Amino acid sequence: MEILYRSTRSDAAPIKASQAILQGLSEDGGLFVPTSVPKLDRSFAELARMSYQEVAYEVMKLMLTDYTEEELRDCIARAYDSKFDTEEIVPFAEADGAYYMELFHGPTIAFKDMALSILPHLMITAARKNHEEKEIVILTATSGDTGKAALAGFAGVEGTKIIVFYPKNGVSPIQERQMVTQQGDNTCVIGIHGNFDDAQTGVKKIFTDSAMKEEMAKKGYQFSSANSINIGRLVPQIVYYCYAYSRLLKEERIADGDAVNFVVPTGNFGNILAAYYAGLMGVPVHRLICASNSNKVLYDFFQTGEYDRNREFMLTSSPSMDILISSNLERLIYHIAGDDAAKDAALMKDLSEKGVYEITPQMREKLGLFVGGYATEEETAQAIRELYEDTGYVIDPHTAVARHVYETYRKDTKDETVSVIASTASPFKFEGSVMKALGKYEEIPDLDLADRLSAIADVAVPEAVESLRGAQVRHTTVCGKDEMEAQVRRFLGL
């Protein structure tokens, strides 16, 4: 069955997966969603006998139907290879009554590698399939992790350029160092005076500027995105939820058909939306537990049915979740509205113009799978400290938010369903916050601090951090949020 992709905001004719991946964002500003979600055609008993790469093929072949088997297997083989530091790609750690799905063993030690290792290959293949000869310009906003993962994926890839905007004072020292030392003549990294929402809004504005798009086309360029608004980011993320279920089955932690909980630290909503799609594809899901930090716009939404970004923006120790406009939530809104593009477009217009929208009671009834929770800064630090003291296992602040929310949920509901916590980043990416939580922080250079953390956690410093020692800073530009378009023009020579 061919799966096509349509916009969340209009009834324009649906397009093929490769075309949606190339475009990134629909011309009407909407996000691409599948016209239907196919069911897995392999049993979980069969998937349990497969490697990560094989499970990836079985899931992605159903969603990216215009890619041939040879094309898709080639993309997967190039993505999930020795750049990951474990052969299993996604290992699991059991600690204190939950299973931690470690999504941070890729080249930039964050879960974004799971999708951004394959997106360049999907995109270049898509360009060939569609006889697209323009150079692809990846335009991306990052709250810290997407930027480096996208840069690592696209650096040196022929026929592409990549421009990353990040909030200058809104990422960790290691995150910033990873980005500004990025090699590759086709890469451009720019800090902005503003927060992630400012960066994301600016990128979307440039994307939908028809005059600029026309100007770029004349110069032989076309925009695409590596943000989770791109369906080519989202589909690979569905894989690891299917894989997680198959591993639990293989290890006899569950019986086939048992429902499980997924606990996901969430900012832009893409990671937990992938779990939702995995459920639609056949993974037995009991609850999707959406974990927020102090920027609890999603928690409030699940409590009230009202999404309101009109609030103070908090800078926290989990910066990848410091987000007030959760772009991927729009895909869920579209689905619970009965795939009604007009209704979705009206709500997104309210969000743009008033900063707030409210869903109907009928839509709220379709959110039964989701549970919201949040952790304060103190609770996040406590979760890191207590898990280490009880088990010796060290987690990063984003995973700690999920752990606190899960413990609160389990205590309040007495739900003992087997639960998988998405561990989205290595503690070495946020070693300052982790060491403070453990009560072992020192005012020393960040890479020296990484060595201290290594000794405490009894884990080697990852190559992604080790390689930063002595790395030359190549990207120094910082601009105002209203100067983003000018910086894009400068880099492209427009």
Side-chain angles (χ1 to χ4, degrees):
M1 178 175 68
E2 185 177 31
I3 302 298
L4 298 175
Y5 290 83
R6 66 168 72 252
S7 170
T8 52
R9 298 193 192 179
S10 75
D11 291 322
I15 59 177
K16 293 180 178 181
S18 62
Q19 295 169 318
I21 288 171
L22 269 182
Q23 283 190 39
L25 189 69
S26 174
E27 290 183 1
D28 54 38
L31 278 59
F32 288 113
V33 289
T35 48
S36 63
V37 178
K39 293 288 186 185
L40 291 166
D41 60 5
R42 294 286 197 135
S43 70
F44 283 105
E46 289 176 291
L47 295 179
R49 294 192 289 270
M50 296 181 185
S51 67
Y52 189 86
Q53 293 87 338
E54 290 167 331
V55 173
Y57 174 72
E58 294 301 330
V59 174
M60 293 170 67
K61 73 177 186 185
L62 301 173
M63 297 292 286
L64 307 179
T65 53
D66 67 322
Y67 285 76
T68 67
E69 178 175 352
E70 182 183 6
E71 288 169 339
L72 203 47
R73 287 194 186 277
D74 181 62
C75 289
I76 290 166
R78 290 172 183 271
Y80 306 115
D81 58 10
S82 60
K83 69 174 76 72
F84 285 79
D85 63 21
T86 60
E87 190 178 341
E88 194 183 355
I89 307 299
V90 178
F92 288 78
E94 186 178 357
D96 199 24
Y99 296 93
Y100 289 80
M101 177 167 60
E102 294 186 348
L103 299 170
F104 54 75
H105 289 277
T108 75
I109 57 175
F111 82 102
K112 307 294 174 76
D113 290 324
M114 298 305 302
L116 284 164
S117 290
I118 194 169
L119 181 62
H121 304 295
L122 293 173
M123 202 168 273
I124 295 304
T125 303
R128 273 200 310 268
K129 292 173 76 66
N130 291 279
H131 310 291
E132 182 55 69
E133 295 182 7
K134 294 190 190 75
E135 189 163 7
I136 299 166
V137 178
I138 305 298
L139 188 61
T140 290
T142 185
S143 53
D145 286 338
T146 286
K148 175 57 182 178
L151 288 162
F154 283 94
V157 173
E158 197 174 335
T160 70
K161 291 185 186 298
I162 177 165
I163 307 168
V164 170
F165 289 98
Y166 74 97
K168 173 62 184 165
N169 297 311
V171 300
S172 80
I174 290 287
Q175 284 177 314
E176 182 170 42
R177 192 189 290 252
Q178 283 185 310
M179 287 189 282
V180 298
T181 57
Q182 177 65 52
Q183 300 286 316
D185 292 340
N186 67 329
T187 66
C188 176
V189 179
I190 300 167
I192 70 157
H193 297 301
N195 58 41
F196 169 73
D197 289 332
D198 296 324
Q200 184 168 248
T201 299
V203 162
K204 283 186 174 179
K205 184 179 176 185
I206 295 168
F207 247 107
T208 51
D209 184 330
S210 55
M212 187 165 184
K213 195 178 294 184
E214 196 175 313
E215 195 176 339
M216 285 182 60
K218 287 176 184 171
K219 292 275 190 177
Y221 292 126
Q222 74 169 78
F223 278 136
S224 190
S225 173
N227 278 89
S228 54
I229 55 176
N230 192 316
I231 199 71
R233 269 280 304 274
L234 197 57
V235 170
Q237 291 179 270
I238 299 171
V239 174
Y240 46 75
Y241 293 104
C242 299
Y243 182 75
Y245 192 86
S246 75
R247 292 309 97 171
L248 292 173
L249 187 60
K250 181 180 183 179
E251 295 175 13
E252 299 182 347
R253 310 288 187 173
I254 57 172
D256 201 350
D258 287 353
V260 300
N261 296 327
F262 289 111
V263 191
V264 188
T266 308
N268 219 7
F269 206 74
N271 204 4
I272 198 166
L273 183 70
Y276 173 76
Y277 278 133
L280 295 180
M281 292 186 80
V283 175
V285 176
H286 178 59
R287 288 288 181 271
L288 296 175
I289 302 171
C290 179
S292 300
N293 64 17
S294 300
N295 292 291
K296 57 189 183 70
V297 64
L298 286 166
Y299 168 77
D300 292 340
F301 169 72
F302 284 116
Q303 292 294 107
T304 66
E306 181 180 77
Y307 191 97
D308 186 356
R309 65 173 173 84
N310 299 317
R311 61 183 69 204
E312 184 185 355
F313 183 92
M314 310 274 195
L315 288 173
T316 73
S317 59
S318 47
S320 298
M321 299 158 66
D322 290 347
I323 293 170
L324 295 181
I325 303 174
S326 302
S327 287
N328 269 288
L329 184 62
E330 178 173 351
R331 286 185 165 112
L332 182 65
I333 295 298
Y334 173 82
H335 291 313
I336 64 173
D339 291 1
D340 186 330
K343 188 176 286 187
D344 175 80
L347 291 172
M348 293 309 119
K349 188 166 183 277
D350 285 345
L351 180 64
S352 174
E353 294 178 356
K354 305 171 191 170
V356 61
Y357 65 80
E358 187 169 5
I359 62 173
T360 66
Q362 293 79 7
M363 291 168 73
R364 282 193 72 185
E365 285 174 11
K366 296 179 182 177
L367 294 175
L369 269 185
F370 290 90
V371 177
Y374 74 97
T376 64
E377 285 292 87
E378 294 75 18
E379 289 163 341
T380 301
Q382 183 181 356
I384 294 171
R385 184 173 61 254
E386 288 182 352
L387 188 62
Y388 174 71
E389 289 172 350
D390 292 346
T391 69
Y393 187 57
V394 180
I395 55 176
D396 89 292
H398 303 77
T399 308
V401 167
R403 171 178 159 72
H404 172 81
V405 168
Y406 171 61
E407 289 299 322
T408 302
Y409 166 81
R410 188 162 66 166
K411 185 177 169 186
D412 290 347
T413 64
K414 307 295 186 286
D415 180 9
E416 293 300 324
T417 300
V418 171
S419 298
V420 175
I421 293 175
S423 187
T424 54
S426 165
F428 288 92
K429 201 152 194 174
F430 304 94
E431 85 278 89
S433 297
V434 170
M435 293 292 272
K436 283 175 185 172
L438 296 176
K440 300 177 186 294
Y441 181 74
E442 300 173 66
E443 285 285 351
I444 56 177
D446 50 8
L447 295 174
D448 293 339
L449 201 57
D451 292 331
R452 301 287 169 87
L453 176 58
S454 173
I456 289 166
D458 195 24
V459 174
V461 176
E463 176 58 26
V465 175
E466 199 66 54
S467 64
L468 295 175
R469 299 183 197 275
Q472 179 190 355
V473 173
R474 297 184 66 250
H475 305 274
T476 57
T477 302
V478 180
C479 74
K481 60 188 179 183
D482 297 327
E483 301 171 295
M484 291 169 62
E485 182 181 324
Q487 291 298 331
V488 171
R489 288 178 174 278
R490 176 189 60 80
F491 179 63
L492 297 179
L494 297 180

